[in-house]
Amino acid sequence: MEISTVIILSLILIISLLYWYLIRNFNYWESRGVHCQKPGFLFGNLKDRVFLNKSFHEFVRDFYQEMKEKPYAGMYEGTLPVLCIIDPEIIKLVLVKNFDHFMDRPFPKFQSISYLEKMMVALKGYEWKRTRVACTPAFSSGRLKAMVGLFENCAKQMVQYLNNVTAEQGTTIIDIRALLINYTLNSIASTSFGITIDSYSDKESEFTKNALAFQDISIFKRIIILITIMYELPEWITSRLPISFFNDDSIKFFSKTLIETRNYRLKNNVRRNDLLQLLLDAQAAPVEIIGETDVEITNEKRETIDEATALAQSLFFFVAGFETSSTALSMACYELAKNKDIQDKARKDILNHWSHGDLTYEAINSMSYLDMVMSESLRLYPPLARLERQVTKSVDLNGLKLDCGTKVVIPISGLHHDPQYYPDPLCFKPERFSYEEKLTRHPYVYLPFGAGPRNCIGLRFANISSKICLAYLLRNFELDICERTPIPFEFHRKAVLLKAKDDIFIKITKI
């Protein structure tokens, strides 16, 4: 046989094997009787995302709308079969009742900085559970109450900055997201890293520059991550790839900052009421367990974590909280500027519970209407488009057998915009979250922080931080739309977390 014939036959064989590999799973859901979208070659059902025709939130919402009459539906992310859970009762099974079968998050393992592997979002099985138990007391009511002063100082910085820029005319037009990014930076630096910064006046600080760059990774790395997810590359390959979800220089900077802060405290016997201190304390096995009701038990020991894991969680709280908190706050302000009647009600609620002096933990928790405003903002603009879980042991889910390793997703943006649960879903109505209204809905159609044992550990932390910021802002300033306010705004199509494509300008007037 001639060499050219061998080469041609070899190429045909290679192409045939590659084609088979790329379509081998495309009858996975049909063979199990699960309704699904018809997959396309190479991309499965991800073509609109790969070519950025839709934002991630729009992509998830549109899939939900197409499949919402089914209890669950199948899709293909490249060659990977993924099950989308639509029925709230089955969502409850996944997140709560059958949690031990869905404990892990699907998180590719790359050859990256060791701290990234120890973040709670990446941990699996017993290691995740042990770390979660050790970290939970850091978010008790007592601990959060002790940190109110740190948040207040950051809110006062924001008010002082706005007082300065409105000093001459009493008003200014400002990019609200940039303003609230600075508040979030200052508060996370204070509570998670134990350092004080003023990102309003010092925009060139190393901390600020690295914070703003932490999601900046090259197009090449983004493509590798996408290929890893879509084509199920085995761990023995991915673990050798020098890839990270975050900017390596930023992660190294924050890791170095945490270690320096930790060493300074040990050397000088310094303690501070912040997350870093509480996580470092978790290494010493204090005799304290704080459960869901915040009842302290003094005759048991809680789980401990090593130093690297403790520092990794401070890094994780920054990664998880920085973008999500600033976006949630800016979206709330955007809607308050558009809806002055709601803004007036929120301000009245604030003034009714905070007449003078510093803001207290008890006063914050008494601001029920402000809480409804934040809840409705998170419904309309959930930071995450969906939750992701991985089957950790085979399970029969409402009659469907799922194998170990199957990826399961829960479409938050679809649920939050379903008129069946939220009539006129694009309208901003905080009253949806009154006590009476919440009783009329299934509890698993509102999931901005997830639910069950693996929900967001920092949800109360984020809630307190956001409410303090809004309380100070609305007590001192009035928010209005202006000619530069985009109505509606366009979602950023490259981002995975919810984000506006362009700046959102609003007018701020000193009261």
Side-chain angles (χ1 to χ4, degrees):
M1 187 180 294
E2 295 184 7
I3 294 178
S4 59
T5 304
V6 173
I7 293 174
I8 291 171
L9 290 175
S10 298
L11 286 174
I12 291 173
L13 178 61
I14 291 171
I15 292 171
S16 299
L17 288 173
L18 181 60
Y19 180 78
W20 169 83
Y21 179 83
L22 293 175
I23 67 167
R24 73 193 189 285
N25 287 331
F26 280 2
N27 70 337
Y28 185 90
W29 292 123
E30 290 91 333
S31 66
R32 287 161 172 77
V34 176
H35 186 71
C36 67
Q37 285 184 340
K38 185 176 179 179
F41 182 64
L42 285 181
F43 307 114
N45 301 123
L46 286 185
K47 185 176 180 180
D48 281 337
R49 275 301 295 154
V50 172
F51 290 96
L52 302 178
N53 296 326
K54 296 179 181 179
S55 70
F56 192 43
H57 281 67
E58 291 167 327
F59 173 79
V60 171
R61 183 195 63 203
D62 291 350
F63 180 84
Y64 173 90
Q65 288 295 335
E66 182 179 338
M67 302 292 181
K68 62 178 290 187
E69 300 306 320
K70 308 293 181 181
Y72 42 70
M75 65 184 302
Y76 298 91
E77 297 182 349
T79 63
L80 179 66
V82 176
L83 186 69
C84 180
I85 309 296
I86 294 169
D87 183 270
E89 278 300 317
I90 302 179
I91 291 173
K92 183 178 180 180
L93 289 177
V94 170
L95 297 181
V96 181
K97 290 188 175 181
N98 290 343
F99 172 74
D100 59 326
H101 292 270
F102 300 91
M103 184 181 296
D104 295 343
R105 287 191 173 101
F107 201 85
K109 184 176 181 179
F110 296 112
Q111 186 191 70
S112 55
I113 300 169
S114 59
Y115 280 131
L116 297 179
E117 296 178 5
K118 292 180 176 290
M119 287 184 183
M120 204 176 299
V121 68
L123 296 178
K124 298 186 177 184
Y126 173 73
E127 190 175 1
W128 164 79
K129 186 176 182 180
R130 182 171 63 86
T131 303
R132 172 86 182 207
V133 170
C135 293
T136 295
F139 297 94
S140 69
S141 296
R143 305 294 195 181
L144 291 175
K145 186 175 181 178
M147 283 191 278
V148 165
L150 298 178
F151 291 125
E152 271 205 292
N153 290 337
C154 297
K156 289 174 181 177
Q157 281 181 319
M158 176 185 66
V159 169
Q160 184 58 54
Y161 169 77
L162 289 174
N163 283 336
N164 293 339
V165 298
T166 59
E168 286 190 18
Q169 298 181 348
T171 187
T172 187
I173 292 176
I174 197 166
D175 174 13
I176 191 64
R177 184 170 178 272
L179 175 77
L180 296 170
I181 279 175
N182 287 329
Y183 167 78
T184 307
L185 274 177
N186 292 349
S187 61
I188 290 182
S190 179
T191 56
S192 294
F193 288 80
I195 61 176
T196 300
I197 65 170
D198 183 358
S199 55
Y200 298 105
S201 59
D202 188 8
K203 298 183 185 299
E204 297 302 315
S205 72
E206 277 194 272
F207 192 97
T208 300
K209 287 193 292 187
N210 278 282
L212 295 175
F214 88 96
Q215 288 193 80
D216 293 345
I217 60 175
S218 68
I219 295 295
F220 173 74
K221 289 185 177 181
R222 291 179 188 274
I223 292 172
I224 294 298
I225 291 172
L226 186 63
I227 289 173
T228 298
I229 295 171
M230 289 175 59
Y231 302 120
E232 305 174 81
L233 296 187
E235 190 173 299
W236 66 267
I237 293 179
T238 62
S239 62
R240 289 167 169 78
L241 298 175
I243 302 293
S244 170
F245 286 94
F246 310 109
N247 183 290
D248 286 346
D249 291 336
S250 292
I251 296 299
K252 289 175 182 177
F253 168 80
F254 290 127
S255 301
K256 179 173 176 286
T257 301
L258 285 168
I259 292 171
E260 289 175 349
T261 304
R262 175 257 186 200
N263 290 342
Y264 175 82
R265 291 187 185 186
L266 290 178
K267 182 179 179 180
N268 297 280
N269 197 28
V270 173
R271 293 186 59 81
R272 196 168 183 262
N273 282 323
D274 58 21
L275 286 176
L276 176 59
Q277 186 66 55
L278 298 173
L279 291 169
L280 292 176
D281 288 346
Q283 300 173 57
V287 284
E288 173 189 44
I289 293 181
I290 303 181
E292 293 182 358
T293 58
D294 293 319
V295 176
E296 296 191 7
I297 303 172
T298 56
N299 61 349
E300 297 184 42
K301 287 190 176 184
R302 72 172 190 235
E303 291 281 5
T304 60
I305 52 178
D306 58 41
E307 179 183 284
T309 301
L311 295 176
Q313 302 327 306
S314 272
L315 195 58
F316 167 63
F317 297 142
F318 165 75
V319 169
F322 167 58
E323 187 83 17
T324 55
S325 295
S326 58
T327 298
L329 277 168
S330 59
M331 292 297 97
C333 289
Y334 173 72
E335 288 297 334
L336 289 171
K338 292 198 303 176
N339 298 276
K340 295 298 293 295
D341 56 332
I342 295 174
Q343 183 182 155
D344 291 340
K345 288 181 184 178
R347 184 176 292 108
K348 183 179 179 181
D349 184 39
I350 292 164
L351 296 176
N352 282 343
H353 295 94
W354 179 27
S355 56
H356 61 276
D358 286 337
L359 190 53
T360 65
Y361 182 76
E362 292 73 21
I364 298 163
N365 286 324
S366 298
M367 297 173 184
S368 57
Y369 193 76
L370 185 62
D371 188 71
M372 287 190 278
V373 166
M374 281 306 305
S375 295
E376 174 67 346
S377 181
L378 288 167
R379 179 201 68 82
L380 192 53
Y381 306 107
L384 292 175
R386 71 185 193 187
L387 300 175
E388 298 185 353
R389 295 291 186 268
Q390 189 172 46
V391 178
T392 51
K393 50 185 176 180
S394 298
V395 61
D396 188 301
L397 186 66
N398 202 46
L400 174 65
K401 187 178 185 304
L402 296 179
D403 299 326
C404 184
T406 303
K407 183 176 178 178
V408 173
V409 301
I410 296 167
I412 298 175
S413 61
L415 292 162
H416 284 199
H417 288 84
D418 189 338
Q420 177 184 346
Y421 308 123
Y422 303 99
D424 197 7
L426 298 182
C427 184
F428 188 73
K429 297 179 181 179
E431 287 75 14
R432 299 183 204 268
F433 290 91
S434 67
Y435 176 76
E436 296 76 16
E437 280 293 311
K438 287 194 289 186
L439 290 178
T440 66
R441 284 193 304 271
H442 196 290
Y444 289 84
V445 298
Y446 179 70
L447 298 166
F449 296 104
R454 195 148 189 171
N455 70 342
C456 174
I457 192 173
L459 67 91
R460 289 196 296 174
F461 177 91
N463 189 41
I464 289 292
S465 172
S466 298
K467 288 172 74 173
I468 289 174
C469 177
L470 283 180
Y472 268 89
L473 188 59
L474 295 180
R475 188 183 187 188
N476 292 278
F477 301 94
E478 188 169 343
L479 312 179
D480 289 283
I481 60 173
C482 63
E483 65 278 1
R484 299 178 67 185
T485 307
I487 303 176
F489 69 85
E490 185 179 345
F491 291 115
H492 199 300
R493 295 183 183 181
K494 291 182 180 180
V496 174
L497 299 176
L498 185 140
K499 184 178 179 181
K501 178 184 175 183
D502 302 308
D503 296 336
I504 295 181
F505 288 94
I506 66 172
K507 184 169 74 171
I508 295 183
T509 304
K510 175 70 177 174
I511 297 177

